[in-house]
């Protein structure tokens, strides 16, 4: 069979490994690492850009970042993007954990920034009361900001191992971040050297208004939950405009339409390919984040049914062009802010 | 005999100048050491913690290995490439919250099918606190009360689901923590992750006797002041004293002597002959104590800038500054003047240079000899009740355990003191520890 030559810019495809809570789902599955390994490998077979795993301190189930760290050595290419909340955690710990996920996955880590808004979550910590979404997202933006500064706090070539002078690092290439936010401060530098991707990919669900400015300012990937392509396209335009206003290149912020999916047959899978193609043609986004009703069933049908159709239509690549998540997404490795600052001043 | 492997991390015993020294941060290094430890049928793999880069003279300390990943994340990844090896993370109770850490540790226990361990440490260090919301407000006396309440709260959460898999809300109101709500994970495969504790003060020993499954001690006594010379004999005696003291405290907490394992951190140097091993040990000591590191060690005692001194020359005749803040992120010596006097006396008596004095007085090598001699000596320490086993601290990353596993482990197995196969799957089963009792009324 002849392959059409592809000149279109392919869409990006991400898949949530967690489905909505439902009756009959085996509780043990949620704690079985092999369940997640099977799904992530399946996603990798479909050359999906990345998989996501949600989290909250009140949701039954394990720590999402830990699950994807457990999956990392058993997969080779697919991006791994857990949710990590910022409200009751230490920003320094969040920064090193996400950084370490990038080290153990050799450059495939991302982070969906989330907040904890409920009184139930606040009571589990007993340190602060529940706060309005606006305040929580302002803080989340600060946490994303300081995390990125900590990732940059080691320049890439800081480790020198200079036996002549006995120096393991060049300390001029390590930087205090001296971050002062409204509710926390961090001195720095990080204890963990700069991760393989420079900075892991930052994702934000920008559907709700309070999250949108954080996405525009700090995200590499924004998710937008929408019922129709026009709504998704409008949200994308809004996010790009906000990013531009903040001095960012809007092409460095990918906006994925986040859709619930439920596939019962291979016919549904082909139908999904048609739908994604239509949304894409209508400018709904740079790709899709699919939220399944049943992850195992829906992902199998997606990979075996939807993906080949999208590939045939030149809407999805057939192989991973690189090894890191940034490479899958076509995002450049960020320059280190401290290294460039030094270059300018010297 | 119980054995564990310490990842050679941020300290001045890790030799990074050796041509065989690899990355301290690439996952491949962690995987190599963990797989080697599992090949040697070790009980567990151990990661230390540091939450702020050390400083010296107001600048980041640049002579030793620094930079490490976040422990629990690395251990979750290692759970994918090992089957039986226990996975121990050092995590501070001062700059964490019980609910979050209990959840992360329970997750590790679930995802590793029962191989998680937690080395409970504390700090009162405001210097480290500058990286955290918490800051550095805790005074020394609060360290153990917060740690004890932290561990107790974690246990309430770990115990909170019924045997039938129903979550029961926890209500904890203590002086340090208020936690109310349901834990999100069922009881983990080990019931509770294994608890490790270090610390040599009376409060530390009591805390360990009350709560720990393993005590991680310094070599010999569990925390000799650095620089104190000791012969092998006194090290054995000091180990026996510590062992008897800590085990003797268990009964007061209703525990048996077998319920707590005492494992000193030790180093080793192997050679084909005794002389060969001694020569290697001397070479390693010179690698660990570079000229720059010798001056640094001196500055940490004296508390003043000594960069003008020649490391191959005599010790300074000035006295240490008792109020020095020269080094940050290190434990301050109790009596720098006394130590400086001892070092000067030794240097004059033996005609040692600064570097030679530091090499002589900061010896860290525990077992030096042929594989047969090392196997015999380790066995003797366990037989004499100076230890239940050892946490081996190699000086090379990541291959520092290869020789030990290839050459010493088979001899220990021949002697019948080390397992040839894992009997169970969980770390508790390796250690011969019972599953924690589920509190009455929870079922």
């Amino acid at each position: 069979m002849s392959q059409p030559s592809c000149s279109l810019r392919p869409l990006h495809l991400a898949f949530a490994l967690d489905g909505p809570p439902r009756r009959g789902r085996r509780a043990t599955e949620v704690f079985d690492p092999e369940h997640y390994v099977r799904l992530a490998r399946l996603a990798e077979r479909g050359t999906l850009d990345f998989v996501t795993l949600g989290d909250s301190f009140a949701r039954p189930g394990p720590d999402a970042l830990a699950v994807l760290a457990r999956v990392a050595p058993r997969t080779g290419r697919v991006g791994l993007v857990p949710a990590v909340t910022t409200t009751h955690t230490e920003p320094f710990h969040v920064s090193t954990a996400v950084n370490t996920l990038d080290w153990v996955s050799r450059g495939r880590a991302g982070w969906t920034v989330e907040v904890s808004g409920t009184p139930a979550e606040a009571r589990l910590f007993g340190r602060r009361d529940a706060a309005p979404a606006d305040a929580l997202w302002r803080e989340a933006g600060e946490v994303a900001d300081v995390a990125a500064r900590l990732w940059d706090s080691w320049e890439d070539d800081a480790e020198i191992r200079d036996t002549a002078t006995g120096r393991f690092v060049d300390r001029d290439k390590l930087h205090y971040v001296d971050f002062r936010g409204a509710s926390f401060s961090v001195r720095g530098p990080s204890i963990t050297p700069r991760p393989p991707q420079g900075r892991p990919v930052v994702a934000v669900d920008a559907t709700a208004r309070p999250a949108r400015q954080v996405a525009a300012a700090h995200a590499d990937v924004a998710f937008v939950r929408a019922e129709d392509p026009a709504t998704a396209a409008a949200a994308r335009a809004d996010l790009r405009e906000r990013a531009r206003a903040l001095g960012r290149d809007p092409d460095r912020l990918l906006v994925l339409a986040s859709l619930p999916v439920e596939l019962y047959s291979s016919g549904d899978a082909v139908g999904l390919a048609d739908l994604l193609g239509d949304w894409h043609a209508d400018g709904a986004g740079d790709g899709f984040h699919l939220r399944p009703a049943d992850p195992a069933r829906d992902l199998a049908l997606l990979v075996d049914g939807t993906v080949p159709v999208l590939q045939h239509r030149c809407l999805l690549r057939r192989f991973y062009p690189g090894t890191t998540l940034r490479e899958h997404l076509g995002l450049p490795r960020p320059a280190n802010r401290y290294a460039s600052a030094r270059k300018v001043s010297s | 005999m119980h054995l564990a492997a310490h990842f050679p991390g941020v300290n001045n015993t890790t030799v990074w100048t050796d041509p065989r020294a690899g990355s301290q941060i690439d996952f491949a290094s962690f995987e190599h050491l963990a797989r080697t430890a599992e090949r040697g049928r070790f009980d567990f793999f151990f990661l230390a913690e540091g939450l702020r880069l050390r400083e010296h003279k107001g600048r980041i300390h640049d002579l030793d290995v620094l930079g490490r990943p976040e422990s629990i994340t690395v251990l979750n990844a290692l759970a994918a490439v090992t089957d039986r090896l226990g996975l121990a993370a050092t995590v501070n109770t001062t700059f964490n919250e019980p609910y979050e850490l209990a959840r992360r540790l329970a997750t590790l226990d679930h995802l590793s099918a029962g191989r998680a361990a937690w080395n409970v440490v504390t700090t009162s260090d405001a210097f480290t606190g500058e990286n955290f919301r918490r800051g550095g407000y805790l005074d020394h006396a609060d360290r153990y009360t917060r740690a004890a309440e932290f561990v107790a709260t974690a246990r309430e959460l770990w115990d909170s689901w019924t045997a039938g898999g129903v979550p029961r809300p926890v209500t904890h109101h203590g002086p340090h923590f208020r936690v109310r709500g349901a834990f999100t994970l069922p009881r983990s495969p080990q019931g509770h992750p294994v608890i490790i504790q270090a610390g040599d003060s009376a409060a530390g020993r009591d805390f360990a006797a009350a709560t720990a499954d393993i005590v991680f001690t310094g070599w010999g006594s569990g925390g000799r002041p650095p620089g104190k010379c000791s012969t092998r004999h006194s090290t054995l005696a000091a180990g026996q004293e510590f062992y008897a003291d800590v085990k003797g405290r268990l009964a007061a907490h209703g525990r048996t002597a077998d319920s707590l394992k005492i494992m000193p951190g030790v180093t080793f140097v192997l050679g084909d002959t005794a002389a060969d091993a001694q020569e290697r040990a001397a070479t390693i000591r010179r690698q660990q104590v570079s000229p720059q590191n010798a001056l640094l060690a001196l500055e940490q005692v004296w508390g003043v800038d000594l960069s003008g001194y020649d490391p191959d020359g005599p010790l300074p005749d000035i006295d240490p500054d008792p109020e020095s803040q020269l080094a940050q992120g290190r434990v301050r010596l109790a009596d720098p003047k006394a130590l400086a006097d001892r070092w000067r006396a030794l240097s004059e008596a033996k005609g040692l240079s600064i570097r030679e004095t530091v090499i002589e007085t900061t010896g860290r090598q525990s077992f030096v000899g042929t594989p047969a001699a090392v196997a015999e000596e380790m066995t003797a320490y366990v037989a004499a009740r100076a230890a239940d086993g050892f946490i081996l601290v190699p000086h090379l990353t990541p291959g520092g355990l290869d020789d030990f596993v290839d050459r010493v482990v088979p001899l220990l197995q021949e002697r019948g003191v080390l397992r040839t196969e894992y009997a169970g799957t969980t770390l508790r089963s390796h250690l011969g520890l019972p599953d924690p009792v589920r509190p009455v009324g929870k079922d």
Side-chain angles (χ1 to χ4, degrees), chain B residues 52 115 148 151 170 250 270 312 321 342 383 390 398 440:
Chain B
R52 178 141 180 210
R115 297 188 278 140
V151 174
V170 166
L250 290 167
L270 304 177
D312 295 321
D321 172 3
R342 272 205 305 278
F390 304 95
V440 178

Side-chain angles (χ1 to χ4, degrees), chain A residues 31-33 36 55-67 69-70 72-74 86-93 96-97 100-101 103-104 106 120 123-128 139 143 154 159 161-169 171-172 174-176 183-193, chain B residues 16-18 21-28 31 49-53 55-56 58-74 76-81 95-97 99-100 103-104 107-108 110-112 129-134 161 178-186 290 292-293:
Chain A
F31 301 100
D32 174 12
Y36 300 99
D55 205 354
S56 131
F57 287 117
R59 122 192 177 295
D63 177 81
L65 188 140
V67 169
R70 177 67 175 71
R74 304 281 305 279
T86 61
T87 306
H88 300 293
T89 54
E90 289 285 357
F92 192 85
H93 291 325
T96 55
T100 301
L101 183 63
W103 280 104
V104 302
R106 301 181 167 95
R123 283 194 294 269
L124 294 169
F125 287 80
R127 275 174 79 177
R128 46 203 310 219
E139 185 183 61
V143 175
W154 288 59
E159 185 181 313
R161 299 193 183 221
D162 183 32
T163 46
T165 60
R167 292 180 306 147
F168 183 78
V169 295
R171 59 186 164 198
D172 292 337
L174 300 180
H175 303 276
Y176 296 98
S183 62
F184 65 88
S185 58
V186 176
R187 176 88 165 113
S190 180
I191 53 160
T192 310
Chain B
W16 54 262
T17 50
D18 191 292
S23 171
Q24 292 290 139
I25 190 86
D26 283 342
F27 183 63
E31 184 172 354
E49 183 190 57
L51 296 174
R52 178 141 180 210
L53 300 181
E55 290 183 3
H56 186 69
R59 302 185 69 192
I60 288 165
H61 174 55
D62 60 357
L63 297 181
D64 298 338
V65 166
L66 70 163
R68 56 174 123 212
E70 190 273 313
S71 297
I72 297 179
T73 304
V74 170
N76 275 298
L78 287 175
V81 295
F95 301 113
N96 283 282
E97 293 300 314
Y99 184 85
E100 183 187 15
R103 186 169 178 264
R104 298 188 73 208
T107 295
L108 177 63
H110 276 283
L111 297 180
S112 66
E130 287 183 34
N131 280 335
F132 297 97
R133 294 179 192 263
R134 254 304 162 202
W161 287 46
R178 296 169 73 85
V179 175
R180 190 150 59 90
F183 199 48
T184 62
L185 289 92
S290 65
Q292 297 87 353
N293 258 323

Side-chain angles (χ1 to χ4, degrees), chain A residues 113-129:
Chain A
V113 181
E114 290 277 7
V115 299
S116 305
T118 66
E121 289 160 291
R123 283 194 294 269
L124 294 169
F125 287 80
R127 275 174 79 177
R128 46 203 310 219
D129 293 330

Side-chain angles (χ1 to χ4, degrees), chain B residues 251-272:
Chain B
H253 299 280
R255 302 179 65 190
T256 63
D258 284 347
S259 67
L260 178 71
K261 308 298 177 189
I262 293 176
M263 299 178 70
V266 296
T267 63
F268 56 91
V269 180
L270 304 177
D272 294 332

Side-chain angles (χ1 to χ4, degrees), chain B residues 29-39 45 78 82 85:
Chain B
S29 291
F30 293 89
E31 184 172 354
H32 180 95
L33 196 85
R35 283 183 186 270
T36 306
E38 188 164 77
R39 186 158 60 82
F45 175 91
L78 287 175
T82 55
L85 189 67

Side-chain angles (χ1 to χ4, degrees), chain B residues 87-329:
Chain B
L87 303 164
T90 303
V91 192
N92 199 296
T93 56
T94 310
F95 301 113
N96 283 282
E97 293 300 314
Y99 184 85
E100 183 187 15
L101 186 55
R103 186 169 178 264
R104 298 188 73 208
L105 290 165
T107 295
L108 177 63
D109 209 39
H110 276 283
L111 297 180
S112 66
R115 297 188 278 140
W118 172 25
N119 180 33
V120 182
V121 294
T122 65
T123 179
S124 57
D125 187 350
F127 172 74
T128 306
E130 287 183 34
N131 280 335
F132 297 97
R133 294 179 192 263
R134 254 304 162 202
Y137 73 95
L138 275 181
D139 67 32
H140 192 274
D142 272 347
R143 284 168 60 181
Y144 282 115
T145 60
R146 180 179 161 103
E149 190 180 332
F150 197 118
V151 174
T153 309
R155 286 189 161 141
E156 287 175 55
L157 292 163
W158 292 332
D159 282 339
S160 66
W161 287 46
T162 67
V166 179
R168 294 205 174 172
V170 166
T171 302
H172 174 95
H173 277 187
H176 292 280
F177 306 108
R178 296 169 73 85
V179 175
R180 190 150 59 90
F183 199 48
T184 62
L185 289 92
R187 204 155 193 263
S188 74
Q190 293 188 103
H192 303 166
V194 167
I195 302 285
I196 306 173
Q197 230 268 301
D200 190 42
S201 65
R205 291 180 188 201
D206 265 338
F207 180 49
T211 63
D213 300 304
I214 298 171
V215 173
F216 175 20
T217 73
W219 171 235
S221 71
R224 284 180 297 126
K228 182 176 175 185
C229 293
S230 60
T231 64
R232 279 289 153 73
H233 178 75
S234 73
T235 301
L236 177 66
Q240 288 173 312
E241 183 280 325
F242 179 83
Y243 188 97
D245 178 76
V246 173
K247 297 253 176 176
R249 292 169 190 255
L250 290 167
H253 299 280
R255 302 179 65 190
T256 63
D258 284 347
S259 67
L260 178 71
K261 308 298 177 189
I262 293 176
M263 299 178 70
V266 296
T267 63
F268 56 91
V269 180
L270 304 177
D272 294 332
T273 63
D276 177 33
Q278 289 297 339
E279 197 180 312
R280 282 178 191 225
T283 303
I284 292 164
R285 288 299 293 145
R286 286 186 72 78
Q287 289 176 308
Q288 289 168 331
V289 186
S290 65
Q292 297 87 353
N293 258 323
L295 281 182
L296 177 101
L298 222 61
E299 287 182 338
Q300 284 171 345
V301 175
W302 262 258
V304 292
D305 182 346
L306 300 173
S307 53
Y309 284 78
D310 176 3
D312 295 321
L315 267 66
D317 51 14
I318 54 172
D319 276 341
D321 172 3
E323 303 301 322
S324 171
Q325 295 292 317
L326 194 75
Q328 292 271 28

Side-chain angles (χ1 to χ4, degrees), chain A residues 172 227 234 314 342:
Chain A
D172 292 337
E227 304 276 313
C314 294
R342 201 162 46 111

